[in-house]
């Protein structure tokens, strides 16, 4: 909420930016991926920016023949939150029940925080401050 309040006016469509990084975060969490490349940013229709730097940290990665920049969420909880938030912002909602069931059945507890964020965001009281900046959530329930 604070990042949106203090930096949200720097971007024209914060909803689209959050949807893009959230989809990338979910794809990464599903594939046990926490390091993303410029190609990943392009695939999810986003680009490095001052606003995005609040959620992704960039690192220079060197190999023997080249140097590239890679991106990572500062902590896996940020990645899980972005992944959960994308489920509420998507204009073409998937079957959220199936998604939750699939995430719950994953071994190793990798999706435990994701599921907690989904449960929290499904509450209108929790979602209301974010909706001020991102517009209405499409999948609200009463918890």
């Amino acid at each position: 909420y604070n990042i949106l309040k203090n930096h949200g006016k720097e971007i024209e469509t914060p909803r689209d930016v959050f949807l893009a990084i959230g989809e990338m975060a979910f794809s990464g969490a599903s594939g046990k991926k926490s390091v993303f490349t410029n190609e990943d940013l392009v695939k999810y229709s986003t680009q490095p920016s001052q606003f995005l730097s609040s959620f992704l940290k960039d690192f220079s990665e060197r190999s023997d023949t080249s140097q590239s920049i890679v991106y990572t969420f500062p902590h896996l909880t940020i990645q899980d939150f972005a992944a959960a938030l994308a489920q509420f912002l998507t204009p073409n909602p998937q079957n959220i029940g199936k998604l939750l069931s699939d995430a719950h059945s994953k071994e190793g507890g990798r999706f435990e925080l994701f599921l907690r964020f989904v449960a929290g965001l499904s509450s209108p009281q929790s979602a209301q401050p974010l909706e001020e900046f991102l517009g209405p959530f499409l999948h609200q329930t009463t918890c």
Side-chain angles (χ1 to χ4, degrees), residues 35-36 38 57-63 66-72:
V35 177
F36 302 93
N38 279 323
K57 300 298 176 196
D58 58 340
F59 297 96
S60 182
E61 185 177 74
R62 295 179 189 201
S63 69
S66 66
Q67 179 176 347
S68 61
I69 296 177
V70 295
Y71 304 89
T72 185

Side-chain angles (χ1 to χ4, degrees), residues 80-89 96 113-131 134 137-141 143:
D80 287 346
F81 175 75
L85 184 59
Q87 303 310 309
F88 290 89
L89 298 178
I96 200 157
L113 280 174
F114 167 79
L115 292 172
R116 289 179 185 206
F117 281 127
V118 168
L121 289 168
S122 67
S123 167
Q125 293 84 4
S126 297
Q128 188 277 327
L130 291 172
E131 287 179 329
L134 301 174
F137 287 10
L138 303 175
H139 310 298
Q140 284 188 346
T141 62
C143 294

Side-chain angles (χ1 to χ4, degrees), residues 15-83:
R15 184 182 187 99
D16 293 340
V17 171
F18 269 100
L19 181 58
I21 65 170
E23 288 175 345
M24 184 174 77
F26 183 77
S27 174
S30 297
K32 297 182 180 178
K33 180 177 181 178
S34 61
V35 177
F36 302 93
T37 63
N38 279 323
E39 290 79 22
D40 293 319
L41 295 180
V42 168
K43 179 180 176 181
Y44 291 99
S45 303
T46 191
Q47 58 186 353
S49 67
Q50 183 178 356
F51 176 78
L52 200 58
S53 70
S54 298
F55 295 93
L56 293 175
K57 300 298 176 196
D58 58 340
F59 297 96
S60 182
E61 185 177 74
R62 295 179 189 201
S63 69
D64 292 338
T65 58
S66 66
Q67 179 176 347
S68 61
I69 296 177
V70 295
Y71 304 89
T72 185
F73 289 90
H75 198 276
L76 288 177
T77 56
I78 304 295
Q79 184 173 348
D80 287 346
F81 175 75

